[in-house]
Amino acid sequence: MGLGPSLSIRQSQQLVLTPQLRQAIQLLQLSNLELDGFIAEELSKNPLLESRSEDPEEQPGPEFVSEDVDSHEAPDDPGADDLIMGKADDDRPLDVDWQTQALETDSYSDVVASGGGEEAFDFDRLQYAAASLAEHLVDQLHGLSGPVGDLARIIAETVDETGYLSVPLQHIADLSGAPLALVEQALDAVQGLDPPGVGARSLAECLALQARAADRYDPAMARLIDNLDLLSKGRTADLKRICGVDDEDLGDMIRELRAYDPKPGCRFSGNASAEVTPDVFVRRTRGGFAVELNQATLPRLLVNRRYYQELKTGPQDRQSRAWLSECLQSANWLVKALDQRARTIVKVVSEIVKRQQGFFERGVSAMKPMTLREVAEAIGMHESTVSRVTSNKYLLCDRGLFELKYFFGSGVQSAEGDGAAAEAVKAAIKKLIDVEAEILSDDAIAGLLKGKGFDLARRTVVKYRESLGIGSSIQRRRLRKIAG
């Protein structure tokens, strides 16, 4: 059989991600705050895009930013614009400076003194905040000079973020060329700084420093701190014998120790927690629940077609016309993609609220198991689309702020037949342990849950209990014994 070149025709299908489709997928994954940065970048690149005016007379709001889960609609409330302009039932306009009008007849002191919400600026609120623990410690060492002061600053900059000194003193002495006795003096100076317990080399030393600062470091407390291993094992009888105290005194000493901070430097470490802004609001109406997008963070864009016509009619070459046409196409697609994003988010969240209506009415105990596939099939979308919509987005309702992923999860069998969500089971376990008069074993908890309609094995109870950070029955019994 001879080999030679030949031509053949074959038909096939493949999915090609166009730039527009890739952009739409990217927009679905972004939260409203992340979307602001993306919109700002597009505004700087595309001259035909501009921010939508905040004036409601010039530009109405988005067409599809809310949806009622139930078909019943609540009566229309007077809008904010009507209230401001004095067109509602209460005809007093809200945009009047009552303080300015009062100054026409009253003195300034009378108006300020009688003002309900305005107060004079309190300069005592301005206080210095150190950026880190090391900076906070060094600021307190300004009055200490000489070799001891220099070594104290070295030690202050060496402590870790929890406030402990993990570097041996001999190592500091070798690097600085100072005698060990001088380094120990510098450490004593650092351990006397705020916060109490800083500069410690062990947990026992940290607690001892805090006890000295509170003037509670007596011989009995010293022996208790030296035997923390017995305390962790709950051997109170041995501790009473070693410390020479009775049950009441030992209980007071243990409560004192529990009030101390085992990591005193953590209050200065770590970045401030990022503020979470909800992307969707769920509010109760007379007919059910309404889903609304957070318009305060929702980007508002429009295509400036007047500017496009001015550029189009002006002198330009072929390359400029192609660039202008591309800008118009990109602007139109972005506005359309943002509108589609809003519709998709509201559609997905509305289905979540519909399926988890028991949670919004009665709380976590009424949550049901729900998967991304179930929601996707109900609204006629792909599972990956629902996953992108629920990523990095938060919902605010009467019960608090929740990530959309919170409402998805597996469940267990229940007496009702629909199953119960894992969060509902965890809430039931936590409630049983919180009110237990006698310490319940995992088998006992499984039996009580079965009486409530949850069919759980003991190992499932253990898994959920550990995920809640709750100790075993032995650990809880030991803690109760220590607490008296």
Side-chain angles (χ1 to χ4, degrees):
M1 180 178 179
L3 297 177
S6 63
L7 294 176
S8 61
I9 300 176
R10 183 174 59 183
Q11 184 178 5
S12 63
Q13 292 181 343
Q14 63 180 8
L15 178 62
V16 178
L17 285 179
T18 63
Q20 291 83 1
L21 181 58
R22 190 177 294 109
Q23 184 185 72
I25 293 175
Q26 180 185 3
L27 292 178
L28 274 179
Q29 293 176 306
L30 301 179
S31 64
N32 284 356
L33 295 181
E34 294 171 337
L35 195 59
D36 285 340
F38 178 83
I39 294 302
E41 183 179 353
E42 291 296 322
L43 286 171
S44 63
K45 294 190 300 185
N46 196 331
L48 300 183
L49 281 174
E50 65 178 26
S51 298
R52 182 174 295 173
S53 173
E54 297 293 336
D55 189 353
E57 296 181 358
E58 295 182 10
Q59 183 65 41
E63 297 180 0
F64 197 89
V65 297
S66 66
E67 179 175 309
D68 287 333
V69 176
D70 204 337
S71 58
H72 302 288
E73 296 183 358
D76 295 336
D77 296 330
D81 300 329
D82 295 336
L83 289 173
I84 293 176
M85 300 307 297
K87 297 179 181 178
D89 294 338
D90 188 355
D91 57 357
R92 295 175 299 172
L94 301 180
D95 58 346
V96 175
D97 189 354
W98 298 106
Q99 183 171 340
T100 303
Q101 291 190 359
L103 286 174
E104 297 180 1
T105 57
D106 299 329
S107 66
Y108 181 80
S109 59
D110 293 336
V111 173
V112 173
S114 61
E118 298 186 5
E119 298 179 356
F121 185 79
D122 186 7
F123 286 94
D124 292 337
R125 298 178 183 175
L126 297 177
Q127 55 182 354
Y128 170 75
S132 63
L133 174 63
E135 183 178 341
H136 178 68
L137 296 177
V138 171
D139 288 342
Q140 301 176 66
L141 294 172
H142 282 317
L144 189 62
S145 59
V148 176
D150 296 337
L151 289 172
R153 291 179 184 86
I154 294 175
I155 295 176
E157 295 175 354
T158 307
V159 296
D160 58 21
E161 61 180 7
T162 60
Y164 285 84
L165 180 64
S166 57
V167 180
L169 294 183
Q170 186 61 52
H171 184 62
I172 297 177
D174 295 340
L175 291 178
S176 61
L180 182 60
L182 204 61
V183 178
E184 292 176 349
Q185 293 181 22
L187 178 60
D188 291 339
V190 173
Q191 290 180 346
L193 302 177
D194 178 75
V198 71
R201 290 159 290 182
S202 64
L203 175 61
E205 186 177 11
C206 179
L207 297 177
L209 291 172
Q210 296 181 60
R212 288 193 182 97
D215 196 18
R216 286 279 295 158
Y217 194 71
D218 50 25
M221 179 65 77
R223 287 191 286 270
L224 176 62
I225 294 176
D226 291 338
N227 294 275
L228 292 178
D229 55 336
L230 298 179
L231 181 61
S232 64
K233 297 177 182 178
R235 295 168 59 177
T236 55
D238 294 338
L239 289 174
K240 287 189 294 182
R241 176 178 54 81
I242 294 173
C243 299
V245 295
D246 55 12
D247 290 336
E248 183 178 358
D249 291 337
L250 182 62
D252 292 339
M253 293 164 61
I254 292 175
R255 281 190 289 271
E256 183 79 18
L257 280 185
R258 296 178 69 178
Y260 295 155
D261 189 356
K263 296 181 179 180
C266 286
R267 72 185 72 172
F268 298 92
S269 63
N271 298 325
S273 57
E275 181 180 358
V276 177
T277 302
D279 301 274
V280 186
F281 296 120
V282 176
R283 59 181 180 86
R284 186 186 294 270
T285 62
R286 293 183 179 179
F289 294 90
V291 177
E292 299 177 353
L293 291 179
N294 186 358
Q295 300 186 47
T297 59
L298 202 64
R300 297 172 173 84
L301 288 181
L302 57 83
V303 181
N304 194 337
R305 300 189 180 277
R306 181 181 302 176
Y307 185 51
Y308 169 74
Q309 293 296 333
E310 293 179 0
L311 295 178
K312 184 179 180 181
T313 55
Q316 54 183 331
D317 54 13
R318 182 177 180 180
Q319 185 178 1
S320 299
R321 287 195 301 270
W323 172 80
L324 185 62
S325 176
E326 182 181 351
C327 288
L328 179 63
Q329 182 181 3
S330 176
N332 287 330
W333 175 262
L334 181 58
V335 173
K336 181 180 178 181
L338 290 175
D339 179 70
Q340 183 63 34
R341 174 185 179 273
R343 293 172 182 268
T344 304
I345 292 176
V346 171
K347 194 172 185 180
V348 171
V349 176
S350 298
E351 183 63 25
I352 293 175
V353 174
K354 180 180 178 181
R355 289 176 172 268
Q356 298 288 5
Q357 188 167 351
F359 166 81
F360 295 97
E361 292 178 348
R362 301 187 297 276
V364 182
S365 60
M367 282 188 69
K368 297 181 179 179
M370 185 175 65
T371 61
L372 296 173
R373 178 175 296 179
E374 293 174 352
V375 175
E377 292 176 353
I379 61 179
M381 293 183 177
H382 195 270
E383 184 178 347
S384 62
T385 303
V386 178
S387 177
R388 292 186 181 97
V389 169
T390 54
S391 297
N392 302 321
K393 295 180 182 64
Y394 291 84
L395 176 151
L396 181 64
C397 62
D398 294 340
R399 299 194 176 275
L401 184 67
F402 301 91
E403 190 177 5
L404 293 184
K405 292 288 188 181
Y406 172 79
F407 298 97
F408 295 88
S410 59
V412 298
Q413 294 294 329
S414 65
E416 298 177 358
D418 295 335
E423 294 296 332
V425 179
K426 291 179 183 178
I429 293 175
K430 187 177 185 303
K431 185 177 181 180
L432 287 175
I433 294 177
D434 288 342
V435 299
E436 61 182 358
E438 296 183 0
I439 302 299
L440 300 173
S441 64
D442 294 328
D443 288 325
I445 294 175
L448 293 174
L449 290 176
K450 192 171 184 179
K452 294 178 177 291
F454 301 113
D455 189 9
L456 272 76
R458 176 187 175 277
R459 62 179 180 273
T460 307
V461 174
V462 173
K463 181 181 69 173
Y464 288 157
R465 175 180 55 74
E466 291 178 348
S467 66
L468 291 170
I470 300 175
S472 63
S473 58
I474 297 177
Q475 293 172 329
R476 299 199 306 275
R477 189 175 293 108
R478 182 183 302 163
L479 290 176
R480 178 175 293 187
K481 184 178 180 181
I482 291 174

